[in-house]
Amino acid sequence: MLRYSGTVLVAGATGRTGQWVVKRLQHYGFDFRLFVRSGEKALEKFGPEVTDRLTIGSVEHEQEIVAACRHMDAVICALGSNVMDPEAPPPSAIDRDAVIRLATLAKAAGVTTFILISSLAVTRPEHPLNKYGRVLDMKLEGENGVRRLFTGSGRTFTVIRPGGLLDGPPLQHRLVLDTGDRITTGSTDRSDLAEIAVLSLVAPEAQNRTFELIRAEEAPQDSLLGCFRQLG
């Protein structure tokens, strides 16, 4: 059984990927807290057992972030803008500004590990997704902020760039991890993305790395921990 001795804050916990992050933290018995806008929604998604693990607030408000990060050792950031919703905050507000704000205040609070879920193709400004509020450009700026803040001084980061997100069950496909921005297309199940994010807490190969993540052929897996060997 895996062991992690710290406490993990999940930002974006009630989103579709964030919900899987929480499930995998629960699966491994890791200690965690949730930073959410709606306590009611969190209880609906995870049940009353998370009641004492909630901090209610917004990534747009510094003091609420400060309260959420107090006594945390790691952050898994599953924030993401909704470019299909014209009433939602734009990518600049979430994928760039909120991510950098969260990372800045997490560092100030003593958090030592920051794991960011980003996106495939963030270095490709011509990608069709970038037509929507320059979402990929904004994600790349968020990544750069995390790397700048969590490099050195006993702090570590992991940036995960998944392909197009799907809703399949975990551990049903072989995964491909690669660095160097060489994977340009592919898909990733949210469940496996969450698994890799959680395993990044304990996998030395994931420390201070940015890598792409896609699924390959269907092949049930006992564990995804060995996937990190692909990073060298």
Side-chain angles (χ1 to χ4, degrees):
M1 192 68 174
L2 293 179
R3 293 285 184 267
Y4 178 72
S5 60
T7 303
V8 185
L9 180 69
V10 184
T14 57
R16 292 163 72 184
T17 299
Q19 290 177 49
W20 271 109
V21 171
V22 176
K23 290 176 184 177
R24 300 319 288 170
L25 288 167
Q26 290 173 319
H27 172 78
Y28 288 112
F30 292 0
D31 190 25
F32 66 89
R33 301 293 184 273
L34 308 181
F35 185 35
V36 297
R37 282 181 177 271
S38 169
E40 182 179 347
K41 185 175 181 180
L43 292 173
E44 175 189 327
K45 299 295 182 184
F46 306 118
E49 59 268 28
V50 302
T51 300
D52 296 332
R53 298 176 181 266
L54 299 178
T55 298
I56 311 301
S58 168
V59 289
E60 298 177 273
H61 298 111
E62 290 193 0
Q63 290 307 310
E64 293 169 351
I65 297 173
V66 169
C69 290
R70 194 171 292 126
H71 308 305
M72 296 297 107
D73 300 286
V75 170
I76 297 179
C77 179
L79 299 174
S81 58
N82 183 355
V83 296
M84 297 294 104
D85 183 355
E87 297 184 2
S92 58
I94 302 299
D95 300 295
R96 181 189 64 193
D97 297 347
V99 167
I100 294 175
R101 186 181 303 114
L102 175 61
T104 299
L105 296 173
K107 177 181 177 180
V111 169
T112 57
T113 301
F114 198 100
I115 297 169
L116 174 65
I117 294 173
S118 182
S119 175
L120 208 66
V122 294
T123 64
R124 305 175 190 279
E126 73 284 356
H127 193 282
L129 270 180
N130 235 7
K131 296 177 181 178
Y132 301 95
R134 293 175 53 221
V135 60
L136 296 176
D137 290 345
M138 296 302 103
K139 286 183 181 293
L140 181 59
E141 291 192 34
E143 286 186 15
N144 289 337
V146 169
R147 282 188 286 266
R148 182 179 67 251
L149 288 160
F150 277 83
T151 297
S153 302
R155 295 180 177 85
T156 63
F157 70 87
T158 301
V159 176
I160 308 169
R161 295 171 170 173
L165 295 175
L166 303 173
D167 288 313
L171 304 173
Q172 296 302 307
H173 291 81
R174 187 177 68 83
L175 300 186
V176 178
L177 283 66
D178 195 17
T179 58
D181 199 21
R182 292 178 292 194
I183 299 176
T184 59
T185 60
S187 301
T188 311
D189 286 302
R190 288 183 172 86
S191 55
D192 286 336
L193 169 58
E195 179 83 352
I196 290 294
V198 170
L199 293 179
S200 293
L201 294 165
V202 298
E205 301 93 334
Q207 292 184 359
N208 300 321
R209 306 297 291 271
T210 298
F211 58 87
E212 290 74 48
L213 170 68
I214 61 172
R215 75 180 195 181
E217 72 275 5
E218 186 173 342
Q221 306 291 309
D222 293 327
S223 170
L224 298 183
L225 197 56
C227 293
F228 291 99
R229 287 195 292 269
Q230 300 174 48
L231 301 177

